[in-house]
Amino acid sequence: MLRIENLKKKLAYFTLEINELEINKNDYFVVLGLSGSGKTTLLEIIAGFRKPDSGKIYLNGEEITNKPISERKVVLCHGKYLFPHLSVKDNIGIGIKDKKLREQKVREISKLLCIEHLLNRMPNTLSGGEQQRVALARALVVEPEVILLDEPLNALDRLTHENLILELKKIYENSNLTFIHVTHDFIEAIALAKRMAIIRNGKIEQCGDVEEIINNPKNEFVARFVGYKNFLKGTVKEENGNYIFEGDIAIHLDKPYKCGDAILAIRPEDIMLVGDNGCRYHYKKDNLFDAKVVEVYPLSLSTVRAILEVDGVQLTCEVIRSKANRMGLRRGMKVKISISSSVIIRK
């Protein structure tokens, strides 16, 4: 539906350079990257607020690179772009000329997003979450084909953040719209995305289905961004049809890899603690190790992070808090661990 070809835009510290990007109709596509990586600039170019130095943008086969903003059927949505001198009601309805239709649509969309009580307020009296809802309402009411969301859940309290994720999912699932959502938050990305792209310094590092990127990160940067915490240097070897990673510790791999120097990456939740009472889950006996707990601290209301030492190597794992309490997990404790999954990344 949306295709970008050979796009370049020189910025202060790097050049945004998208050689090829295709986003499908009715996709929820997330662009994930650090602050200052070019995410917002990409949205502004797609929306028409910035002009690229070169390259082309197509929507449904029609080139829109130089089309006026009002003719693109693309809406950029962000709370900071509300008109400060207009009420919420007027902000939402500004794109609809017919007064009767405007009243009807504003009423319908404000009811859907639970902002009916805000219609007579001014933007500067709204909370961050309320501003995001109003911006989303203004985008939806003009019935675009593509909605661009620029960090829509940034700087919100946890409860508002969770509620807006649910609202976005509901709106997306009940519409025929294409969403392009930029964020630096991986948890937010996996909660919403069908497909995603990881961007760094203006270039896309990897693009694909969410599960594909999580299970097969292209490089260490992507792996770190999607939640891998443990990285070991070593060599992949093949022995009688079995593939083994040999580094400071040896790991049996669950699928074939090209032999040679590599980095092995492990997600913290894929390191399972096996206490004296055994493990309730299946674990790979080939990848069972003795470990010492170096540090333990809460990560969230439901999880605990443990730093472990195995043969002089420190590994980070995450444990359900109830299990950590049941095991009496503490600093200096000796445990067994099972590494249930890992991936190989080329150097």
Side-chain angles (χ1 to χ4, degrees):
M1 178 194 191
L2 185 77
R3 189 169 83 254
I4 295 173
E5 294 180 354
N6 303 315
L7 183 75
K8 285 188 179 182
K9 179 67 177 179
K10 187 170 177 57
L11 304 171
Y13 301 105
F14 60 85
T15 298
L16 178 66
E17 191 170 357
I18 310 294
N19 294 328
E20 184 179 8
L21 179 64
E22 290 191 0
I23 297 172
N24 301 325
K25 184 176 178 63
N26 198 218
D27 198 355
Y28 201 114
F29 190 89
V30 172
V31 181
L32 185 64
L34 299 171
S35 297
S37 59
K39 305 186 302 296
T40 296
T41 301
L42 176 60
L43 289 194
E44 290 174 344
I45 290 173
I46 294 172
F49 288 98
R50 288 195 192 216
K51 297 296 182 185
D53 298 332
S54 60
K56 294 182 178 181
I57 304 169
Y58 296 88
L59 181 63
N60 294 323
E62 178 189 359
E63 187 182 350
I64 62 168
T65 316
N66 297 307
K67 259 200 165 190
I69 295 170
S70 59
E71 297 177 17
R72 291 190 177 219
K73 297 183 180 178
V74 175
V75 177
L76 178 59
C77 172
H78 196 295
K80 70 181 181 182
Y81 298 135
L82 296 177
F83 294 106
H85 61 291
L86 297 180
S87 68
V88 167
K89 180 180 178 181
D90 291 338
N91 260 285
I92 294 172
I94 196 168
I96 303 174
K97 294 180 180 179
D98 183 90
K99 185 177 180 181
K100 187 175 180 180
L101 181 62
R102 181 169 63 241
E103 291 281 344
Q104 176 191 336
K105 284 188 169 292
V106 168
R107 188 169 57 251
E108 289 173 353
I109 199 67
S110 60
K111 184 176 180 180
L112 175 66
L113 291 175
C114 302
I115 55 173
E116 294 167 289
H117 62 294
L118 302 176
L119 291 178
N120 294 320
R121 299 259 299 270
M122 301 300 287
N124 64 353
T125 69
L126 305 179
S127 68
E130 289 168 342
Q131 289 178 0
Q132 298 289 18
R133 282 184 172 89
V134 173
L136 185 57
R138 188 176 66 181
L140 290 167
V141 80
V142 295
E143 300 180 353
E145 293 191 31
V146 182
I147 289 186
L148 309 176
L149 300 172
D150 184 11
E151 301 268 12
L153 310 179
N154 192 29
L156 301 180
D157 62 83
R158 184 176 61 85
L159 193 57
T160 304
H161 187 278
E162 291 175 357
N163 288 338
L164 270 177
I165 283 179
L166 292 175
E167 285 180 14
L168 282 171
K169 286 180 73 72
K170 188 188 301 181
I171 291 166
Y172 166 67
E173 289 167 358
N174 290 298
S175 74
N176 197 34
L177 298 171
T178 301
F179 284 77
I180 305 175
H181 176 140
V182 306
T183 182
H184 61 272
D185 188 328
F186 173 64
I187 302 301
E188 182 180 311
I190 62 172
L192 290 164
K194 288 177 68 176
R195 296 174 64 245
M196 70 166 65
I198 312 293
I199 190 170
R200 174 169 61 162
N201 294 334
K203 294 181 174 60
I204 291 178
E205 295 283 327
Q206 189 169 354
C207 180
D209 293 339
V210 175
E211 289 300 317
E212 174 192 339
I213 293 177
I214 291 173
N215 295 325
N216 296 289
K218 182 179 178 182
N219 54 39
E220 188 173 339
F221 175 82
V222 172
R224 288 186 184 278
F225 219 104
V226 299
Y228 288 84
K229 300 290 184 186
N230 303 289
F231 296 87
L232 306 176
K233 293 181 180 179
T235 305
V236 175
K237 295 183 178 180
E238 186 264 334
E239 295 180 3
N240 301 319
N242 297 313
Y243 289 81
I244 300 171
F245 173 85
E246 291 188 354
D248 293 324
I249 58 177
I251 306 288
H252 290 256
L253 304 173
D254 55 9
K255 62 181 179 181
Y257 285 98
K258 182 180 177 182
C259 294
D261 291 344
I263 295 171
L264 180 127
I266 309 167
R267 296 180 67 86
E269 60 268 30
D270 288 331
I271 299 177
M272 301 169 64
L273 295 184
V274 184
D276 293 335
N277 297 326
C279 181
R280 294 187 180 184
Y281 307 96
H282 294 292
Y283 56 85
K284 296 182 179 180
K285 294 182 179 179
D286 286 338
N287 292 333
L288 195 62
F289 302 93
D290 292 315
K292 179 182 177 181
V293 180
V294 176
E295 189 59 84
V296 182
Y297 56 92
L299 190 63
S300 70
L301 292 173
S302 58
T303 56
V304 168
R305 176 163 288 173
I307 309 299
L308 310 170
E309 187 175 289
V310 179
D311 295 335
V313 177
Q314 286 200 351
L315 299 173
T316 299
C317 81
E318 291 174 11
V319 190
I320 296 172
R321 185 186 285 261
S322 59
K323 180 176 180 180
N325 293 339
R326 195 165 56 246
M327 292 178 64
L329 196 65
R330 62 193 180 279
R331 189 185 303 169
M333 183 179 179
K334 293 184 178 179
V335 295
K336 285 189 180 295
I337 64 167
S338 169
I339 298 176
S340 62
S341 182
S342 60
V343 297
I344 291 294
I345 302 170
R346 289 293 149 195
K347 289 186 176 179

